[in-house]
Each structure stands twice: as structure tokens, then as C-alpha cells.
């Protein structure tokens, strides 16, 4: 499992590099070249998340309990995990938070009928679809949570067929990871390229912020 821990560390560093590229991308895009740059960067980040799921799935098949325990994460990160990772509906909260902040900062432009095209400029149709997707994601989260709860409730006979039990747990984890990635892809599909870039930056900053705070907390925690 040390190989996945190394992958996890390298993956995070690569994500930081991708976020730097996102930050450097001109916003708003004013020509075709800049529009294509946005699209390419969005695809690169999406593929980066997909690759994480692929390698994590391989690691889970080798030792699913270790993946659930996530020794490569700090105590704060683990306390926030849902079925081995971040909760999919967190993505919607990121969009709503960023949209609210930007909306307030653009209130003068809005009153003067000027559009910025960023996350603070979401259309009514986008907001409606976000709400629908959020409801769908919540239902799917609940179904996976119930499946995991059922798996845990069967602990009394877990030694009867341990391999089958572990295979079922791997399946639960994979469905949770698929929902995480599918949620991101669905949201990106509804956003403009500029809004998608802003969303990916905000999501990564949240990830980095939680990680850094958790690392500092663990370092300051008394030993023993």
C-alpha cells in the first residue's frame, strides 16, 4: 500500500501544478485560443481525478480496509470522509458559496446590467439544474450509505466468507468514487468554461486548505 501512498502524494503535487495553470488562464476568455485553453485545462483536471479513481480502485482490490483507513490522509481529512473520500454533494456547496461571494462583489455591475460570466453570474436555468442534480446526488449518497450500513450490520457473520465480504466492500467504495467523479462531470457540463475553471480552482483550494490545516493540527497534537 506504500505505492498508493506515494501515488497520492505525487497526485496532489500534480494537482497543485494544474491549479497554477488554471489560475494563469485568462478570464474571461476573449478569443478562440483562450477558449480552447480553458477546455484543455478542464479536461486535464477531469482526467487527473479519473486517474486517481482508477489507481485507488486497484489499491482497494489489494487492501480495501487500508483504503478506508487512509493512512496517507491526516486526522482532519479522515474525519470529513464519507465512504473513503469526500462527500459528492460538497461540490454543490462549493458552487453556491463561490457564487454568493462573487454575486455580492458584482452587485454594482448587476444593477447596471453588466454581466461578468463568472460563478456569480449563474443563470436561472443553471440554478434549477444544480438543484435537480443535488437532489439526485443526495439520493445516491443515501443509497450507498445504506449499503455500507448493511455491510456493517452483517459484521456478526463476517468471518463466514471474508473474501466475499471484502469484495462487497470494494464494490461499495467503487460506487462512491464513481458518484464523486460523476458529480464533478455533471456540474462541469452545466457550467461555462470560465465558470468551470473557477469551480475547479475553488474545489482544489478547499482540498489544499483542509489538508494544510490538518497537517498543522497533527503536528501540534501532543504525543502519546
Amino acid at each position: 500500500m506504500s505505492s498508493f501512498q506515494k501515488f497520492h502524494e505525487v497526485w496532489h503535487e500534480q494537482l497543485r501544478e494544474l491549479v497554477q495553470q488554471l489560475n494563469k488562464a485568462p478570464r474571461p476568455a476573449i478569443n478562440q485560443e483562450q477558449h480552447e485553453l480553458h477546455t484543455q485545462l478542464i479536461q486535464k483536471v477531469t482526467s487527473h481525478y479519473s486517474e486517481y479513481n482508477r489507481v485507488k480502485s486497484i489499491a482497494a482490490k489489494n487492501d480495501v480496509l487500508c483504503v478506508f483507513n487512509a493512512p496517507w490522509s491526516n486526522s482532519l481529512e479522515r474525519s470529513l470522509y464519507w465512504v473513503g473520500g469526500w462527500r459528492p454533494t460538497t461540490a454543490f456547496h462549493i458552487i453556491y458559496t463561490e457564487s454568493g461571494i462573487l454575486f455580492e462583489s458584482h452587485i454594482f455591475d448587476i444593477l447596471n446590467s453588466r454581466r461578468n460570466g463568472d460563478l456569480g453570474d449563474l443563470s436561472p436555468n443553471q440554478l434549477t439544474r444544480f438543484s435537480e442534480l443535488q437532489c439526485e446526488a443526495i439520493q445516491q449518497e443515501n443509497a450507498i450509505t445504506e449499503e455500507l450500513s448493511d455491510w456493517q450490520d452483517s459484521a456478526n457473520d463476517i468471518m463466514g466468507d471474508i473474501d466475499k465480504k471484502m469484495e462487497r466492500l470494494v464494490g461499495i467504495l467503487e460506487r462512491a468514487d464513481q458518484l464523486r467523479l460523476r458529480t464533478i462531470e455533471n456540474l462541469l457540463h452545466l457550467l461555462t468554461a470560465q465558470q468551470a475553471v473557477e469551480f475547479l480552482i475553488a474545489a482544489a483550494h478547499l482540498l489544499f486548505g483542509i489538508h494544510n490545516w490538518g497537517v498543522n493540527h497533527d503536528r501540534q497534537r501532543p504525543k502519546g
Side-chain angles (χ1 to χ4, degrees), residues 50-67:
S50 180
E51 176 66 1
Y52 188 87
N53 276 12
R54 186 189 71 80
V55 178
K56 182 180 177 183
S57 177
I58 295 172
K61 288 181 173 68
N62 292 328
D63 190 345
V64 66
L65 296 182
C66 186
V67 172

Side-chain angles (χ1 to χ4, degrees), residues 91-109:
F92 296 94
H93 298 302
I94 293 172
I95 285 183
Y96 293 140
T97 299
E98 289 297 308
S99 178
I101 292 172
L102 290 171
F103 181 85
E104 290 182 4
S105 69
H106 298 331
I107 192 67
F108 181 78
D109 290 335

Side-chain angles (χ1 to χ4, degrees), residues 64-132:
V64 66
L65 296 182
C66 186
V67 172
F68 263 87
N69 188 46
W72 42 83
S73 301
N74 58 58
S75 57
L76 175 61
E77 290 171 319
R78 286 192 293 271
S79 73
L80 297 172
Y81 281 168
W82 167 85
V83 195
W86 55 273
R87 185 176 288 274
T89 45
T90 302
F92 296 94
H93 298 302
I94 293 172
I95 285 183
Y96 293 140
T97 299
E98 289 297 308
S99 178
I101 292 172
L102 290 171
F103 181 85
E104 290 182 4
S105 69
H106 298 331
I107 192 67
F108 181 78
D109 290 335
I110 294 170
L111 292 175
N112 286 276
S113 301
R114 288 198 293 266
R115 308 294 296 273
N116 294 281
D118 56 20
L119 282 174
D121 200 15
L122 296 174
S123 70
N125 182 61
Q126 283 178 307
L127 292 171
T128 298
R129 286 294 295 131
F130 289 148
S131 179
E132 293 170 350

Side-chain angles (χ1 to χ4, degrees), residues 19-210:
V19 170
Q20 289 178 0
Q21 295 178 40
L22 289 172
N23 276 316
K24 292 178 182 177
R27 299 198 303 274
I30 58 175
N31 55 47
Q32 185 62 29
E33 182 180 359
Q34 293 177 356
H35 279 289
E36 291 177 356
L37 175 61
H38 282 185
T39 301
Q40 292 170 3
L41 289 174
I42 292 165
Q43 182 57 50
K44 285 173 68 174
V45 177
T46 305
S47 297
H48 195 56
Y49 281 111
S50 180
E51 176 66 1
Y52 188 87
N53 276 12
R54 186 189 71 80
V55 178
K56 182 180 177 183
S57 177
I58 295 172
K61 288 181 173 68
N62 292 328
D63 190 345
V64 66
L65 296 182
C66 186
V67 172
F68 263 87
N69 188 46
W72 42 83
S73 301
N74 58 58
S75 57
L76 175 61
E77 290 171 319
R78 286 192 293 271
S79 73
L80 297 172
Y81 281 168
W82 167 85
V83 195
W86 55 273
R87 185 176 288 274
T89 45
T90 302
F92 296 94
H93 298 302
I94 293 172
I95 285 183
Y96 293 140
T97 299
E98 289 297 308
S99 178
I101 292 172
L102 290 171
F103 181 85
E104 290 182 4
S105 69
H106 298 331
I107 192 67
F108 181 78
D109 290 335
I110 294 170
L111 292 175
N112 286 276
S113 301
R114 288 198 293 266
R115 308 294 296 273
N116 294 281
D118 56 20
L119 282 174
D121 200 15
L122 296 174
S123 70
N125 182 61
Q126 283 178 307
L127 292 171
T128 298
R129 286 294 295 131
F130 289 148
S131 179
E132 293 170 350
L133 284 174
Q134 185 176 18
C135 290
E136 292 172 11
I138 289 172
Q139 291 176 350
Q140 294 171 62
E141 275 185 5
N142 290 342
I144 294 172
T145 299
E146 289 177 9
E147 189 174 2
L148 179 59
S149 177
D150 182 63
W151 184 90
Q152 293 169 333
D153 288 342
S154 66
N156 60 317
D157 61 351
I158 196 169
M159 301 310 295
D161 191 344
I162 188 67
D163 290 338
K164 187 175 181 180
K165 290 288 185 181
M166 292 302 106
E167 287 178 9
R168 185 184 174 197
L169 186 59
V170 169
I172 295 171
L173 177 63
E174 288 182 341
R175 281 187 284 282
D177 284 338
Q178 290 165 3
L179 179 57
R180 282 184 264 270
L181 183 60
R182 188 165 62 250
T183 299
I184 290 178
E185 292 174 340
N186 287 341
L187 287 174
L188 292 177
H189 180 71
L190 289 177
L191 296 169
T192 66
Q194 177 183 342
Q195 292 168 345
V197 167
E198 293 168 348
F199 163 67
L200 291 172
I201 291 172
H205 282 172
L206 177 62
L207 191 69
F208 299 151
I210 290 173

